[in-house]
Structures are given as C-alpha cells and as structure tokens.
Amino acid sequence: MKLLHKSKTLLAILLVLAVTSGCAGKGDVTITKPLSPSVSDDDNAWSEQAEGTIVLENQGFLFELDAETTHFVLTDKRTGEKYFSVPEGLMASGDDASRMVSEVTIKYYGQQTNELYMYSGVDSVPSGNFKIKTNGSTIRVYYTMGSAGVFAPEVFSREEFETQILDKIESAGMRRRMARYYVLYSSEEQPADYQDRLSQYPVLKSAPLYIMDSAVSDVEKEEISGYLSEIGYTEEMYQEHVKSLGVEVEVTEQPAGFVIPIEYQLTDDGFTVKILSDRIEEFSDEYKLQSIDCLEYFSSLDAKEGSYIVPDGSGALFTMGGTASGEYVHQFYGTDFAVQKESQTQIEKNLMLPVFGIQTGRFGILAIVEQAAEVGFLNVKPLSDSSPHNRIYVSFEMRSIDITDLGQDKPIPVYNLFTKNIISQNPQIRFIALNGEENSYAAMAARYREYLLQNNTFSGSQPQNANVYLDFLCMITEDASFLGVPYVKKTVLSTLDQIQQIVDKMHESQIKGIVVRLIGYGSGGLENYAYNRFSIDRRVGSKEQLKKLAKTLAD
C-alpha cells in the first residue's frame, strides 16, 4: 500500500472545505456539535428473529442480514453492486482470522492486565449468545461476549427458597434440579459441615438456611442463574432478602463479559451503523470496556485495485498494491491538548474532517462519522501474511484509560486507571454508496461538501476575508550546564516588540483578519498541552507590550 500525499485535486477541494468550515464569518458556519448524551428508542415491542434472513429495503438499496451469522450484504439496486460486511473466500490467521469474521471487535482491560480482545464472530455468535431485533426499518444486534454475569446466590432462608424460588418454578424436573444444588441446614438438619457453616452464618442458631452445595460447578451455577432469570428473581430482590436475613455474603469476582448493541438502518444513499452506548452492559467490575472497532472488514480490498482516501491535512491517498507501507492510525480532529506528550513531530498527521473513502474500479464508498468522531480513530491496515485484505475502519474510544508507571522499576504493582463511565453518545457512521462518475476522490470531496450543505453545517457562501494566522514560537528552552552546574538555557526567537512591528506593517499593507498565536508561551514549547499557569519572560516582553499587541489586533 503506497501513500500518495497531498494529491493536487483533492488538496484544492478539501482546502475549500476546510477554509469554508473554519471561517467565523457572519454565522455561516455551524461548529461541530459537542458530545451530548444519546437515548436509544425502546425496542421491547420489536420482533425478535433467530433464523433466516432479515431484510431492509428502500427504493435504492437492499440490506440482508443473516440471522445465524449476523453477517450482512448491502445491494445497490441502481448498479447491482454488493457490499459485504466480512470478506468471502480468503482466509486469515491469528488475530486477523478472528477479526475477519467479526462485525465488532472490542478491547478491554482488567485492573492489572494488558489489553485484551473479544470478537463478535468468535466470542458471541458461535455459542448463540446474541439476539436480533427489528421493527421493519431498523435492525439491532445485541452481541453478548464473555460471561453473561452469572447470578447464583450462596444462601437463602428456608422460607425464601421454598416459597419464592421452588414454588415459582413451573417444571417439576427443574424444581428437583434446583433443590439438588442447595443443602438445608438447621438445628434439626445438621450435615457433616454444620459447625463450619454455623461459624460462617451465626444466624443458623435461630433460622434454617439453604446453602449452595460446595460441589456445584460453574456450569451448574449458570443453570441456577437461568432458573432465577426465568422466574424473575433479580439480584436486587436477593440483596433485600440478605439484608433482612442479617448475613454477609462474599461477592465473588465475575469474569469479563459485555453486551454490545449494534444498530443498522437504511438511508437514501446507503446505510448507517450505530453503537448503542446507552445499552452497553459490563458484567464485571474488574474488567472495563475501552474501545470498539466497527465493521473493520466492510468492503475490504485485496491488492489488485483501489485506494483509500483519508482527510490527512488537505487530503491524502493510500493506493493498493506494491509494498506495504505500514499501518496508519490517527485520531480525528488531532490530538488532545489536555494530554501531555513526551515527543511530537513539527509536521504532524492531522485528521481535520471525520470522513474517509474507498475507491475502486467497480465501486466507491464515502464514510462519514456522524456522531462521536471526537473519540474516533481512523485505521488503515495493509494486507499482510496473516490477513490478505487491505481495510479501512474507525475505532471508537468508549472509555479513557491511563496507566501508572510508578512501579515499573520498583516492586509496586502497575495499575490501569479508567474513567468511571463510558461515553454517553452513540457513535454512528454513515456509509454512502457511490457509482459512475461519483467514484473518484474529487467527486467524494464534492459529495461531502453537498452533505454538509444539506445538514446545514455551513451555508456554502465563500468568506469575504479569510483570516491570516501568524504563529510565533517566542522562546525555546533546553537543559545546559556551566562549570558542572545544571541550568535551563533560554533562547529568545521572537519578542513582543518584533511581533508588534510585523502586525503594524501588515496593517499598513491593508492585510485584515490577522490572528496571532503565541506558541512559545508555555513550558511545553512545540509539545503543547493545556496550561493552568501563564507568565511572560522579561526577555520576550512585558505585560504592557502584550496589552498593546492585543489592542492593535482588536482594533
């Protein structure tokens, strides 16, 4: 895969987009909406389907999802072109083999683990741990990966177990199996380990208890959990019972488990895929969902043809074929300045638009991240020995993570630190199928501009006067020493007086809309991050000179 950077046509068109959408003139531009909470529509009345093909159809497209595999095919009725959610025929190996059969890949962490992965096509679908719901115009797939949160209580009072559990199980066979998993302990009924249980549960002196047999296996605990679920006996009900009983029940660590809901919906020009964040479930407090890779192999390409369009700077192309140039992974809208980085290149890859494209001789796809692009990462992965396909897709960071490094060189545990909750917005990608003359990077840029106009992101009017940005790195610092005494050496590159002279000269030349950015006013230098302190070095200038510069720019 070869990167052809800054294609001239793409540069010109995307530069117009960038200038138009970045200009603050007369209210013509709507700034990208911030992350706001999403609430999914209730689907309790939707039909549930476990076999056959689920179909969505409109005038232009046919969407067919296999209820047994959750794989889907999108057919463009205008051209007959088919788009597959996973590739057909070619096989991968290792981790890529699991990814290639999965619409969803999740990354998660334990408190002290490295990154861990689960795949919808490996950890959910083969075992039947998923459900599909539809209302005729929308399809939702709920993937359950890992443990589904086994609820198998350790102890019941005699009355609770016999009246609230056994009496409500309709099947006589199920009642007998359930009763077999618990042993009755009382002053009259004293099994061999009665004294051990009495020390564990002192309430046994006055109240008979049913306690789970220590020989019950994990599989049998899942069976118990299923019985309780069927009669509607919840953990909340059990906690109330334990509280009234006056016993303490040790909480056992749950294995990792997640429910990841995905929603598909047809549009006039393709379809949308949405991750329903508000319906995601985590079954264990010990393991935290961190990111989700969505439709990684959708319309993936072999090495014979095609290219990928990415919004790097003013536009870039990845062409298929030839020697692979490595993976490309970058966050939309650039890096987070609130996070300090140890190093940064002066010319940095920067994805300023939440879009990407797939271009081949047969078809084209324009993908637009409509929601949660702020936490999205664009991935371009070339074919390799383990995966015979090139692919482009988005990963969404559902929860931020940081890792302590205090214990790296000391006998102190290294911990993963997480934000408490996952993001509250539902990430959504819109896939637009292109045909004919639309299948070019120039046409994709024009189509995206049309999309922005249709959604009132900007009015389309050209700015009267574009701003001129002047960046000044006022001072650099470096570690030095004098006669063995270390100190910080400061080198002034631009003073406030010099900047004032430049601005005055540009004003005299009738250059308007000047924006001065003082990059060097911070200890990070080029490696900027969010500051909560501000000071002016006397060698750069004074407060009075800064106020004068500010007044000149304001006037």
Side-chain angles (χ1 to χ4, degrees), residues 18-20 22-25 462-469 511-515:
V19 170
T20 309
C23 172
Q462 296 298 324
Q464 296 281 328
N465 296 297
N467 289 336
V468 178
Y469 291 86
I511 298 175
K512 306 295 183 182
I514 298 172
V515 179

Side-chain angles (χ1 to χ4, degrees), residues 276-416:
L276 305 181
S277 299
D278 60 321
R279 291 174 177 262
I280 288 176
E281 296 181 44
E282 297 174 300
F283 296 130
S284 173
D285 291 334
E286 301 297 321
Y287 296 94
K288 300 296 184 182
L289 175 68
Q290 200 269 324
S291 67
I292 297 178
D293 299 342
C294 189
L295 297 185
E296 177 175 348
Y297 276 87
F298 176 69
S299 292
S300 56
L301 304 174
D302 57 26
K304 296 178 182 178
E305 61 176 348
S307 58
Y308 293 140
I309 294 92
V310 299
D312 182 350
S314 53
L317 289 175
F318 284 86
T319 58
M320 302 301 113
T323 304
S325 59
E327 297 182 0
Y328 176 98
V329 182
H330 288 282
Q331 186 172 10
F332 289 115
Y333 305 137
T335 55
D336 186 350
F337 285 141
V339 179
Q340 185 174 358
K341 298 192 299 182
E342 294 182 358
S343 62
Q344 176 179 318
T345 58
Q346 292 192 30
I347 301 177
E348 187 177 29
K349 295 180 176 66
N350 206 355
L351 304 181
M352 298 307 295
L353 300 171
V355 297
F356 63 91
I358 303 173
Q359 173 193 0
T360 75
R362 306 188 328 272
F363 67 84
I365 293 176
L366 173 64
I368 303 171
V369 184
E370 295 187 309
Q371 292 182 179
E374 297 86 343
V375 294
F377 288 77
L378 183 62
N379 301 261
V380 180
K381 292 191 177 182
L383 57 83
S384 62
D385 293 337
S386 62
S387 177
H389 273 222
N390 303 292
R391 65 266 194 205
I392 185 169
Y393 63 97
V394 177
S395 301
F396 292 100
E397 189 176 78
M398 308 301 290
R399 171 187 276 112
S400 296
I401 180 174
D402 199 1
I403 301 174
T404 63
D405 56 5
L406 295 175
Q408 286 184 338
D409 302 321
K410 304 177 182 66
I412 302 173
V414 175
Y415 286 98
N416 299 321

Side-chain angles (χ1 to χ4, degrees), residues 425-436:
Q425 191 176 56
N426 295 338
Q428 177 171 303
I429 307 174
R430 181 189 188 105
F431 290 94
I432 299 174
L434 306 173
N435 60 79

Side-chain angles (χ1 to χ4, degrees), residues 97-114:
S98 299
R99 289 177 171 272
M100 186 175 280
V101 296
S102 302
E103 278 70 26
V104 173
T105 296
I106 67 171
K107 179 167 68 174
Y108 66 100
Y109 289 81
Q111 196 71 57
Q112 289 179 263
T113 70
N114 294 325

